[in-house]
Amino acid sequence: MTKLLDGIVAFGSVLLLAVTLIGAGFAVVAIPDAATATLSRAFSGCDQPNTPFTADELASMAIAGKHYTFDNNDREKLDAAIAEANAAAEAGGRATASTRESAAFNLPADAISHLDDVYRVACVAKPALVIVAMLCIAGLAHVAVRISRRALGRTLMAGGGLVLAAFCALGAWAVIDFDGLFAAFHSLFFQAGTWTFPYDSLLITLYPTAFWMGMGGIWLAVTCIASIICIIVGRLLRSETE
């Protein structure tokens, strides 16, 4: 009975570790502003050469949108950031007050609704990933103490290897058909038709395909690096006990 329980815990720890590694990449792109700020300055407006907003104005709105979606859902702060960018564009003669209601200069109800949908998903995902990480730590501790360090090494290698295999497949899919992967990912969480917008809308200007490819690249890199570290540590633990 004890061996069966240990086997279940070890197997469960592999799965929990895999989710935790994926969650680590998600945390890097979703929690701090660095990824959003960097990618926004590089790509926001890249498909809209005639956008009236400067790189700084686009980055300010993109970061405000990120805060609204993943942090505080504070509509007043989001509206204030958009209004400030519009005011600056108007002051610079790049826009007029009459354009503010356009979807190219503001976020209409359907765009805000989508951001709210993302926020609801994030509110579930963030605490769930924290719980998974805590269970993962407990599971790995059980494997190390109750089974063996060698078993811990195997668990680390299996978890890291599982994630690398999955991300290699997803990475290949992204290279071949990023739009298809993007659509499939969104279909898991959102109803069809609620996350597609005109190419010249402000939402797409702020977050074009290149922006999301960059986010995916950072997520992929962080998760793969963490997975490789797990594999290396796992091999070292196995070597110590052989």
Side-chain angles (χ1 to χ4, degrees), residues 5 17 23 32 47 52 89 102 126 139 159 179 192 197 207 209 212 228 236 239:
L5 176 61
L17 177 59
D47 296 334
S102 167
K126 288 192 288 187
D179 289 341
F197 303 92
Y207 310 112
T209 298
W212 294 117
I228 291 170
L236 291 174
S239 298

Side-chain angles (χ1 to χ4, degrees), residues 33-45 51 53-69 71-72 74-89 94 105 107 115 202-203 205-207 211:
D33 292 343
T36 299
T38 300
L39 293 174
S40 174
R41 291 185 181 282
F43 300 117
S44 290
T51 180
F53 299 113
T54 66
D56 287 340
E57 290 160 2
L58 289 170
S60 175
M61 289 187 286
I63 293 171
K66 178 263 178 187
H67 288 170
Y68 180 81
T69 306
D71 301 331
N72 51 39
D74 189 330
R75 180 67 183 275
E76 290 186 3
K77 289 184 178 180
L78 176 60
D79 288 346
I82 295 173
E84 183 178 349
N86 273 277
R94 292 172 275 120
F105 292 79
L107 296 178
L115 296 183
L202 179 60
L203 189 62
T205 300
L206 294 178
Y207 310 112
F211 176 93

Side-chain angles (χ1 to χ4, degrees), residues 74-219:
D74 189 330
R75 180 67 183 275
E76 290 186 3
K77 289 184 178 180
L78 176 60
D79 288 346
I82 295 173
E84 183 178 349
N86 273 277
E90 291 163 16
R94 292 172 275 120
T96 64
S98 62
T99 62
R100 286 199 181 199
E101 298 305 315
S102 167
F105 292 79
N106 213 326
L107 296 178
D110 58 345
I112 293 296
S113 178
H114 176 58
L115 296 183
D116 288 338
D117 287 343
V118 177
Y119 178 73
R120 283 188 283 271
V121 172
C123 284
V124 174
K126 288 192 288 187
L129 290 173
V130 171
I131 292 172
V132 167
M134 294 174 65
L135 291 174
C136 175
I137 293 172
L140 294 177
H142 177 95
V143 172
V145 175
R146 299 298 298 272
I147 306 178
S148 68
R149 287 166 61 88
R150 185 174 183 178
L152 175 61
R154 289 196 300 267
T155 301
L156 291 173
M157 292 177 65
L162 177 63
V163 172
L164 285 181
F167 268 49
C168 282
L170 290 173
W173 186 359
V175 170
I176 297 171
D177 181 19
F178 180 83
D179 289 341
L181 174 61
F182 191 74
F185 178 81
H186 275 69
S187 67
L188 294 174
F189 303 102
F190 312 113
Q191 293 183 353
T194 63
W195 51 272
T196 54
F197 303 92
Y199 80 97
D200 59 347
S201 65
L202 179 60
L203 189 62
I204 300 303
T205 300
L206 294 178
Y207 310 112
T209 298
F211 176 93
W212 294 117
M213 291 181 71
M215 280 290 189
I218 294 173
W219 191 340

